[in-house]
Amino acid sequence: MKEAASGALRPVYLVLGEERWLVDRVVNALREAAAKGGIAGFNEDKFLAGDASIESILGAARMLPMMAPRRFVLVRGVERWEKKDDGGDEGGGEEERAGAGGKRGASRQASPLDALAEYAKAPSPSAVLVLVATKLHAQRRVVTSAKKGDFLVACEPLSRRALPGFITSIAREKGNPIASDVADQLAEIAGPELGYVVDAIERLSLYVGPKQPITEDAIAQVVIRVRQSTVWELIDALGRRRLDRALAALADAYDPRDGGLRLLGAVSWSVRQMVKFESALAAGASQAEAAQRAGVSPYKVNDVAQTIRGLPRGALAGWMRVLAETDLALKSSRRPAQAVLETMLIEMCSR
């Protein structure tokens, strides 16, 4: 992204990773930077690996630009060549096998991935070749060359720990401040796919208005229709073993449009706050300090502390396990989502 902004582009980039939002952002930045000084789209070629031959792709990269300093050549789905490659170039590639296998190895045509690695050794200075793949074997020559030549762009999904910081940064770009605990809540509810997270921040920004903070209430209105106060009512009911109240809160808050995942995220975030709060208390912190570390709002401190005191030892750990199992069930089971969530509440009450 920095190189695209400065215009100091490399002749080859390998954009590797499964986070589509990051991949698209990198590709768009490189395309815009490569097009500067020329007519938009006039010196641009797009290919899908497997549908286009490696010869036509490299031919496009070596073609001189027309009335512009550079050509832009994009190849998506590079991992498709790896799936079709029977022997691969792992462990040294065609050149080593040629030496070990004699004429038969030498006569074999190099794989498209090997051909890309060879091109990267002496690329055309008047082209920007962008290779996009979700995943490639780390020992592929094109990957090792990209690492050694420093043209590998990693676009892997962000960890859960890193997601709140990302949310804070994007919200700041929109001009909207967001508290750390609210960013953590949004990460739990909207994550982990960055495309959905960024879309949620965009909608929240429009909802709260310019320079206004993104709040829990805004998240409840825009991202999920359940307010955090309702979630705490559900948690309180679970802590008191009041399954009837917990099921009633679920029935009121459940939204079939998201398959229960957003509501599960809100509950998981609250339980994670309780785990942090309990851990801080066990380490000798005061209730106020524990609340600050856990991101618990000051007006909820006494309620959270009372709920934790009423739980048997180890109950929160059991709840976390149930929540993880529920997340898996919502994403893979054929059971109705509301039934899965009701089972979750029954198990949490029994613990």
Side-chain angles (χ1 to χ4, degrees):
M1 298 295 293
K2 291 180 181 178
E3 290 177 0
S6 67
L9 298 177
R10 299 167 191 262
V12 183
Y13 290 93
L14 175 60
V15 184
L16 187 61
E18 298 180 346
E19 181 44 70
R20 182 63 181 267
W21 184 84
L22 289 176
V23 170
D24 289 345
R25 199 175 189 198
V26 168
V27 169
N28 289 336
L30 293 175
R31 177 188 288 116
E32 290 177 7
K36 288 181 179 179
I39 303 173
F42 194 65
N43 288 282
E44 182 176 317
D45 287 291
K46 301 176 184 178
F47 299 96
L48 180 64
D51 289 358
S53 68
I54 186 62
E55 291 79 13
S56 60
I57 290 170
L58 295 182
R62 293 185 173 113
M63 187 182 301
L64 292 176
M66 294 284 289
M67 297 180 290
R70 300 185 186 92
R71 289 184 57 78
F72 179 80
V73 181
L74 174 65
V75 187
R76 291 191 181 272
V78 172
E79 70 278 359
R80 298 175 75 193
W81 276 324
E82 185 172 62
K83 294 176 182 178
K84 294 180 180 180
D85 189 1
D86 58 349
D89 46 12
E90 299 169 26
E94 298 296 337
E95 294 171 351
E96 290 186 10
R97 288 196 298 277
K103 294 181 179 179
R104 182 179 180 182
S107 64
R108 282 189 59 185
Q109 184 179 3
S111 74
L113 294 176
D114 271 345
L116 291 173
E118 286 297 316
Y119 172 83
K121 291 180 180 179
S124 170
S126 59
V128 178
L129 174 62
V130 179
L131 310 169
V132 178
T134 55
K135 188 178 294 185
L136 289 174
H137 196 287
Q139 297 304 312
R140 291 282 173 184
R141 283 177 57 199
V142 67
V143 178
T144 57
S145 296
K147 290 179 180 177
K148 188 179 297 183
D150 200 26
F151 60 88
L152 175 65
V153 185
C155 294
E156 297 299 337
L158 292 187
S159 67
R160 175 61 180 80
R161 185 186 297 268
L163 196 51
F166 172 83
I167 289 171
T168 301
S169 176
I170 296 297
R172 189 184 300 119
E173 289 180 10
K174 301 289 183 184
N176 301 102
I178 183 170
S180 59
D181 59 326
V182 180
D184 190 62
Q185 180 192 22
L186 185 58
E188 188 66 44
I189 294 170
E193 293 183 8
L194 296 188
Y196 184 86
V197 171
V198 173
D199 177 70
I201 296 172
E202 179 71 30
R203 288 183 283 127
L204 286 164
S205 177
L206 292 172
Y207 177 80
V208 301
K211 299 182 180 180
Q212 297 302 307
I214 294 174
T215 62
E216 288 184 10
D217 182 69
I219 291 175
Q221 294 293 335
V222 176
V223 183
I224 56 172
R225 74 179 187 92
V226 57
R227 294 177 180 274
Q228 193 58 32
S229 58
T230 305
V231 175
W232 279 116
E233 289 173 9
L234 192 153
I235 296 294
D236 180 66
L238 292 172
R240 297 173 185 273
R241 306 295 196 279
R242 292 294 305 272
L243 181 59
D244 57 339
R245 284 175 49 194
L247 290 172
L250 172 64
D252 180 61
Y254 175 71
D255 187 349
R257 291 174 297 178
D258 61 22
L261 286 171
R262 306 302 169 208
L263 177 59
L264 176 64
V267 174
S268 299
W269 179 72
S270 299
V271 173
R272 189 171 287 112
Q273 280 188 313
M274 294 173 66
V275 171
K276 294 177 181 178
F277 187 89
E278 184 184 49
S279 176
L281 289 177
S286 66
Q287 280 195 180
E289 291 172 335
Q292 187 174 16
R293 294 182 194 178
V296 176
S297 300
Y299 68 90
K300 293 298 299 179
V301 173
N302 291 332
D303 293 339
V304 172
Q306 184 177 351
T307 299
I308 291 174
R309 282 195 296 267
L311 292 173
R313 186 179 182 85
L316 288 177
W319 282 9
M320 292 296 292
R321 181 177 181 84
V322 172
L323 291 169
E325 292 170 349
T326 303
D327 180 70
L328 180 62
L330 285 175
K331 294 174 180 175
S332 60
S333 174
R334 294 183 179 179
R335 295 175 60 205
Q338 189 165 358
V340 171
L341 292 173
E342 289 171 349
T343 300
M344 174 191 78
L345 298 185
I346 294 169
E347 292 186 7
M348 291 174 76
C349 266
S350 69
R351 290 175 183 267

